[in-house]
């Protein structure tokens, strides 16, 4: 029993790390996380979407006027 729990926990941690690295998209991660943990996909999606991702960059929108100034 302990061995099964450990492998499930390990797989879940690996999954979340892969998501944070950008190796998996949100939909695939939610599906796998839900399968591994038994947590429904809506709750899984809310939890996972709050995680920061190392491959994401913050982009700032500029107005059209800002582009032509200067």
């Amino acid at each position: 029993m302990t061995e099964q729990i450990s492998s499930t926990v390990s797989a879940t941690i690996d999954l979340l790390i892969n998501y944070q690295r950008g190796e998996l998209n949100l939909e695939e991660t939610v599906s796998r996380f839900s399968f591994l943990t038994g947590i429904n996909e809506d709750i899984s999606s809310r939890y996972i979407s709050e995680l920061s991702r190392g491959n994401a960059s913050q982009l700032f929108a500029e107005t059209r006027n800002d582009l032509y100034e200067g």
Side-chain angles (χ1 to χ4, degrees), residues 6 8 31 38 43 45 48 54 59 66:
S6 295
T8 301
S31 176
I43 293 171
S45 180
I48 294 168
L59 299 177
D66 291 342

Side-chain angles (χ1 to χ4, degrees), residues 10-55:
S10 179
T12 303
I13 291 168
D14 289 342
L15 174 68
L16 296 176
I17 290 170
N18 289 338
Y19 172 74
Q20 288 186 305
R21 289 182 180 160
E23 297 170 8
L24 294 169
N25 65 29
L26 179 62
E27 183 179 341
E28 184 66 25
T29 305
V30 167
S31 176
R32 291 181 186 187
F33 184 84
S34 183
F35 175 79
L36 288 168
T37 64
I39 298 172
N40 82 30
E41 289 193 7
D42 289 335
I43 293 171
S44 296
S45 180
R46 281 186 261 160
Y47 171 73
I48 294 168
S49 65
E50 294 294 320
L51 297 174
S52 63
R53 295 188 75 182
N55 70 328

Side-chain angles (χ1 to χ4, degrees), residues 1-9:
M1 182 76 167
T2 303
E3 205 171 295
Q4 181 182 4
I5 293 170
S6 295
S7 65
T8 301
V9 169

